[in-house]
Amino acid sequence: MGAQTVQPELALPDDVVLSWEGEAVIAVRLPQLSESLDHILAALERRHGMPLSELDRRTKQSVVRSLEARGAFAVRHGVETVAGALGVSRFTVYNYLNRSETS
């Protein structure tokens, strides 16, 4: 995913510091998730061979479930970003998410 390790004393507030027996031993710096979401969306377009906005409704629902499993909606503005890529409203994305919880 593009993470890098840094010494614990160089850790930034968003880094994940790993400890062993109570002592910080290494920190992991994760890439910006919003950039990762753009990469994931581009990869999905390549996989489907067309812009995501041109997919049928059922396939868009599948894409939303896949993105949810990958944590896409934990990213700030994730729903808006995905809605834009799919060519649907935020409300529609939320409906797709609710549908996957009840199915």
Side-chain angles (χ1 to χ4, degrees), residues 9-61:
E9 60 273 7
L10 301 176
L12 300 174
D14 289 338
D15 294 343
V16 178
V17 179
L18 304 175
S19 300
W20 180 261
E21 296 183 354
E23 182 179 334
V25 291
I26 198 160
V28 178
R29 184 163 298 150
L30 301 172
Q32 292 293 69
L33 291 177
S34 60
E35 293 172 14
S36 294
L37 180 55
D38 291 336
H39 291 295
I40 291 168
L41 291 169
L44 285 167
E45 284 191 342
R46 285 191 303 276
R47 183 182 335 159
H48 289 283
M50 66 179 70
L52 297 177
S53 61
E54 295 179 12
L55 298 174
D56 61 53
R57 183 175 55 91
R58 177 169 277 153
T59 307
K60 286 180 182 182
Q61 291 171 334

Side-chain angles (χ1 to χ4, degrees), residues 40-95:
I40 291 168
L41 291 169
L44 285 167
E45 284 191 342
R46 285 191 303 276
R47 183 182 335 159
H48 289 283
M50 66 179 70
L52 297 177
S53 61
E54 295 179 12
L55 298 174
D56 61 53
R57 183 175 55 91
R58 177 169 277 153
T59 307
K60 286 180 182 182
Q61 291 171 334
S62 175
V63 165
V64 167
R65 284 190 299 274
S66 169
L67 290 169
E68 181 182 27
R70 296 174 82 173
F73 302 111
V75 175
R76 186 172 191 195
H77 302 296
V79 170
E80 292 87 347
T81 300
V82 170
L86 293 174
V88 300
S89 68
R90 289 183 355 230
F91 180 76
T92 298
V93 172
Y94 285 118
N95 279 339

